[in-house]
Amino acid sequence: MTVSIDFDAIDRPHLLALLREAPKAELHIHIEGSLEPELIFELAQRNGVALPYADVDALRAAYAFTNLQSFLDLYYAGASVLMTEDDFDAMAWAYFRRAAHDNVVHCEVFFDPQTHTARGIPIGTVIAGLDRAARRAEAELGLSVRLILCFLRHLSEDDALATLEAALPYRDKFIGDGLDSSEMGHPPEKFERVFARARALGLHAVAHAGEEGPPAYIRAALDVLHAERIDHGVRCVEDPALVARLARERMQLTVCPLSNVKLKVFDQLADHNVPALLADDLCVTINSDDPAYFGGYLNDNFVQLFESLPRLGARDAYALLRNSFEASFVDEEDKSLWIEELDTLFASAQDRSA
């Protein structure tokens, strides 16, 4: 902290406002998961794609998931409307506008090229459209954007390797590789070679682990894939030795509260283990995952989590927000500037609460 903050002086109403106002980074957002039903129908009409839903309301009504796989089935169906560079641009631009509204100043955006190349969409079309929107967001919204290419773990490692090689002509447009899709039955070890190849290319490594999968998947993501961040990771609490390691190594967990409830990882937000993770001194960040499907963007995740867990206070809010910058893949100068802005805002909030 660059300034002195009396966290106890920040009352509850000011804290909830502060969560909305504060600068923040989002590190776990699937851009295909930000595709709202209205845009799905607009793109479907533009591209002549027939949807098995009568209208926007019918599609929204289908967002009743029982587990990760039931969500993924709908997720991939929604992505079928994305055909052209303009489509990927439109999808990403819609997310960036929402992110800026939530005072996100930096985002590291996942994209799933295999979802699209399997439909015959060239990987260059995907990346060019996302990159165009990212550059516009930086120019018009002042938003810092990085792209992370993710591999679909239900597909083979050979498919992932081919995807990485196909993306190399666009290497300057993404900073890392990740691992997502169906977790159970697809342990991190399955992708050891492709992550080694990406690491040799200088890419950052992140991986989904410990959402539906066991703590052993988190260990494998660290030891086999050399992941620099764990996406989700909430099941680490089942292994105290692993928790101690994550704290010792200051390993970042990109936690997604509304997603966890929607996919039945927790029955309700009041049951979420964010307080326990923070109490164990883990570097937790809050993120929206697939906000169009899970009912909330980043500020929704923050505010609803704090409303549901009154024991989370201003000190916790500050830690979660600061962690988002510390866990980001940007230089220390940018991190310091954002943290200084955060400190100033919290210091002014204590004065307003007094």
Side-chain angles (χ1 to χ4, degrees), residues 247-319:
R248 183 174 63 252
E249 297 179 2
R250 193 64 180 161
M251 178 56 58
Q252 299 94 357
L253 305 181
T254 63
V255 175
C256 307
L258 292 180
S259 165
N260 290 160
V261 172
K262 193 78 169 181
L263 297 181
K264 314 302 182 184
V265 179
F266 299 97
D267 290 335
Q268 55 186 352
L269 277 178
D271 299 328
H272 206 287
N273 67 1
V274 162
L277 298 174
L278 290 172
D280 284 326
D281 200 29
L282 299 187
C283 185
V284 179
T285 69
I286 299 299
N287 308 271
S288 67
D289 202 1
D290 300 276
Y293 293 89
F294 298 148
Y297 288 78
L298 190 49
N299 276 1
D300 299 312
N301 275 267
F302 267 108
V303 172
Q304 291 185 42
L305 182 70
F306 274 70
E307 286 179 336
S308 300
L309 291 163
R311 63 186 179 276
L312 290 176
R315 188 179 301 275
D316 301 308
Y318 176 85

Side-chain angles (χ1 to χ4, degrees), residues 15-163:
L15 174 58
L16 295 178
L18 197 58
L19 288 168
R20 298 183 179 94
E21 298 169 15
K24 51 188 72 78
E26 176 148 46
L27 308 177
H28 187 154
I29 165 71
H30 299 270
I31 196 62
E32 292 90 351
S34 70
L35 191 55
E36 293 284 348
E38 291 83 1
L39 186 54
I40 288 177
F41 268 85
E42 179 183 328
L43 296 180
Q45 183 175 22
R46 178 196 297 179
N47 294 323
V49 176
L51 294 172
Y53 304 98
D55 52 30
V56 167
D57 290 337
L59 177 54
R60 282 200 185 278
Y63 291 6
F65 317 115
T66 56
N67 56 31
L68 179 59
Q69 189 57 55
S70 63
F71 152 66
L72 289 171
D73 292 341
L74 187 61
Y75 173 90
Y76 295 130
S80 68
V81 303
L82 298 163
M83 298 285 194
T84 69
E85 184 176 320
D86 286 345
D87 297 340
F88 289 95
D89 182 342
M91 172 179 63
W93 177 245
Y95 164 72
F96 293 140
R97 290 182 63 191
R98 287 177 178 268
H101 181 267
D102 281 358
N103 293 304
V104 173
V105 296
H106 173 73
C107 53
E108 297 179 6
V109 177
F110 300 151
F111 67 103
D112 292 333
Q114 290 158 292
T115 296
H116 314 296
T117 56
R119 300 181 289 110
I121 309 301
I123 196 168
T125 297
V126 178
I127 297 176
L130 298 178
D131 180 69
R132 187 207 301 172
R135 303 291 76 78
R136 182 182 174 192
E138 290 178 337
E140 296 185 20
L141 302 175
L143 190 60
S144 169
V145 180
R146 304 289 188 275
L147 300 178
I148 295 178
L149 183 157
C150 288
F151 306 117
L152 300 180
R153 67 201 306 157
H154 67 277
L155 301 179
S156 71
E157 184 179 42
D158 285 342
D159 199 306
L161 282 162
T163 297

